[in-house]
């Protein structure tokens, strides 16, 4: 008697759950109606799963963006023609480069879009150092000057981690003299009066008058300070932007010092030599080999990768290698 009561009680509880689950169904339904309801429930389940996953992805993307602090997202840009109506001059954007691909993916579309909006005819050259010597920004710019071709008549010595944000910045032909776009009162990091790094425009004639940049600066820094002396020695006047009110927010600096360690070591006699003026070296004693030239499009923005092997005379500059 009692076991049968317990059994009936269990069946009653199970039956109650079934009644609640199937309460939405009519008492008498065909096999087709059951199939339709099952299909509808499956669709609702998939839709809920999709929406919840999308929310998780969106949240994870927001979190990742906060951590990495990526600067900009660009839609693919159309490759606009190099319109001759924009003017007779054409800019070679020379970008010294080694293993900074995340910055490159942001830089190329940003600069292409920025210069197109300003109607500046241009070609972006990524000067990729392939050899095993220490990084030599100045020599790479010398190579870019020589390899940029006769269809460009002025250059921008341009860091890959510095993005112009203010559209009032002038990238036009600097006929009067070198034009320092990233001037000390605008650059987010370097504020001394003789600074000419970051972004500097010169006509090819003026760059040749300086004999280019010194090839003695292996590792990070000092090559632009020496180039300031070359500009003065060539009798050229340096110009800088006027009327820019955005201050240190004029540019976005992409460099993360915790992630991208700079080669700031001074080895052997480099400590003494780094402050000297190189009165003979430059374009005239540059030695290099172009391994390859590769056209590349980044988010619709065209550029040319020049893969470069620099040469070093270790008797002249033993600090081009460590040890």
């Amino acid at each position: 008697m009692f076991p049968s009561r317990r059994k009936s009680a269990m069946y009653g509880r199970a039956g109650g759950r079934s009644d609640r689950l199937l309460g939405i169904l009519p008492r008498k339904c065909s096999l087709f109606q059951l199939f339709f309801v099952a299909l509808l429930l499956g669709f609702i389940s998939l839709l809920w799963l999709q929406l919840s996953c999308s929310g998780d992805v969106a949240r994870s993307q927001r979190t990742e963006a906060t951590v990495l602090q990526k600067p900009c997202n660009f839609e693919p840009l159309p490759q606009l023609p190099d319109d001759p109506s924009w003017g007779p001059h054409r800019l070679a954007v020379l970008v010294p480069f080694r293993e900074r691909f995340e910055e490159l993916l942001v830089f190329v579309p940003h600069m292409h879009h920025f210069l197109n909006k300003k109607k500046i005819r241009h070609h972006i050259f990524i000067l990729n150092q392939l050899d095993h010597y220490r990084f030599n920004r100045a020599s790479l710019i010398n190579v870019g000057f020589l390899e940029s071709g006769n269809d460009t008549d002025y250059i921008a010595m341009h860091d890959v981690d510095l993005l112009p944000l203010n559209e009032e910045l002038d990238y036009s032909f600097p006929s009067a003299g070198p034009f320092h776009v990233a001037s000390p009162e605008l650059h987010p990091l370097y504020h001394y009066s003789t600074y000419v790094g970051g972004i500097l425009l010169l006509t090819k004639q003026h760059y040749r008058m300086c004999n280019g940049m010194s090839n003695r600066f292996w590792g990070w820094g000092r090559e632009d300070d020496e180039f300031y002396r070359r500009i003065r020695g060539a009798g050229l006047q340096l110009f800088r932007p006027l009327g820019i009110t955005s201050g240190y927010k004029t540019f976005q600096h992409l460099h993360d010092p915790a992630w991208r360690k700079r080669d700031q070591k001074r080895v052997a006699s480099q400590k003494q030599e780094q402050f000297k003026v190189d009165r003979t070296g430059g374009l005239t004693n540059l030695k290099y080999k172009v391994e390859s030239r590769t056209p590349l499009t980044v988010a619709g923005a065209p550029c040319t990768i020049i893969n470069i092997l620099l040469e070093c005379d270790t008797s002249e500059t033993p600090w081009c290698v460590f040890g």
Side-chain angles (χ1 to χ4, degrees), residues 21-322:
L21 289 173
L22 299 177
I24 61 172
L25 298 176
R27 292 183 179 275
K28 293 183 180 180
C29 58
S30 65
L31 184 61
F32 175 77
Q33 288 175 317
L34 285 173
F35 175 76
F36 176 77
V37 171
L39 187 65
L40 180 62
L41 290 174
F43 174 77
I44 293 173
S45 299
L46 288 174
L47 181 61
W48 176 85
L49 182 62
Q50 176 66 30
L51 291 175
S52 64
C53 289
S54 299
D56 291 341
V57 170
R59 284 190 296 272
S60 67
Q61 286 176 342
R62 287 194 296 270
T63 302
E64 182 180 359
T66 302
V67 173
L68 297 180
Q69 296 182 343
K70 291 191 176 181
C72 311
N73 290 321
F74 295 97
E75 296 295 330
L77 300 172
Q79 292 192 32
L80 299 179
D82 192 358
D83 193 339
S85 68
W86 290 357
H89 303 292
R90 194 161 185 256
L91 172 65
V93 182
L94 306 182
V95 186
F97 180 81
R98 177 184 264 176
E99 298 177 351
R100 298 174 77 168
F101 296 102
E102 298 89 348
E103 296 167 6
L104 180 67
L105 294 177
V106 176
F107 176 85
V108 172
H110 180 94
M111 284 308 303
H112 182 63
H113 182 65
F114 184 88
L115 294 173
N116 276 347
K117 287 186 71 174
K118 297 183 68 64
K119 296 185 177 181
I120 300 292
R121 300 173 65 196
H122 64 278
H123 191 126
I124 299 174
F125 294 92
I126 308 301
L127 312 170
N128 184 31
Q129 184 175 342
L130 287 181
D131 55 75
H132 298 293
Y133 297 118
R134 299 172 70 188
F135 188 67
N136 192 321
R137 176 178 179 268
S139 291
L140 291 175
I141 292 173
N142 285 341
V143 174
F145 172 83
L146 296 174
E147 297 291 331
S148 56
N150 295 325
D151 60 340
T152 57
D153 56 354
Y154 70 116
I155 66 171
M157 302 156 53
H158 212 302
D159 287 353
V160 71
D161 59 5
L162 196 62
L163 304 181
L165 301 179
N166 191 328
E167 294 182 6
E168 295 180 6
L169 290 170
D170 189 4
Y171 275 75
S172 61
F173 186 76
S175 56
F179 185 78
H180 189 208
V181 180
S183 58
E185 69 274 11
L186 303 177
H187 195 285
L189 292 181
Y190 307 115
H191 309 144
Y192 56 95
S193 61
T194 59
Y195 176 67
V196 290
I199 309 168
L200 181 66
L201 307 182
L202 297 96
T203 69
K204 286 194 168 181
Q205 177 187 4
H206 289 161
Y207 192 77
R208 199 174 286 278
M209 287 172 59
C210 298
N211 191 23
M213 303 185 77
S214 172
N215 300 304
R216 297 177 63 83
F217 291 87
W218 302 87
W220 182 83
R222 297 294 181 186
E223 77 287 334
D224 49 353
D225 296 330
E226 201 271 351
F227 191 66
Y228 174 81
R229 299 183 182 183
R230 290 181 176 233
I231 292 173
R232 299 293 299 272
L236 298 172
Q237 182 177 353
L238 180 68
F239 295 88
R240 287 183 167 132
L242 297 175
I244 302 295
T245 59
S246 47
Y248 296 150
K249 296 182 180 179
T250 304
F251 302 94
Q252 183 167 10
H253 193 238
L254 300 179
H255 183 76
D256 182 357
W259 178 251
R260 296 288 186 188
K261 298 292 185 181
R262 286 191 168 119
D263 175 11
Q264 297 179 299
K265 293 184 178 179
R266 300 290 181 255
V267 299
S269 56
Q270 185 180 8
K271 293 180 181 179
Q272 292 75 36
E273 294 289 331
Q274 66 180 345
F275 293 104
K276 295 181 179 179
V277 178
D278 182 3
R279 302 190 183 279
T280 58
L283 294 173
T284 50
N285 71 339
L286 175 68
K287 295 181 180 179
Y288 70 97
K289 177 184 177 182
V290 172
E291 184 76 8
S292 62
R293 300 170 67 101
T294 305
L296 182 69
T297 300
V298 181
C303 65
T304 298
I305 308 290
I306 304 180
N307 292 313
I308 301 165
L309 294 168
L310 298 176
E311 296 182 16
C312 172
D313 184 348
T314 55
S315 64
E316 283 287 324
T317 55
W319 52 87
C320 65
V321 295
F322 287 115

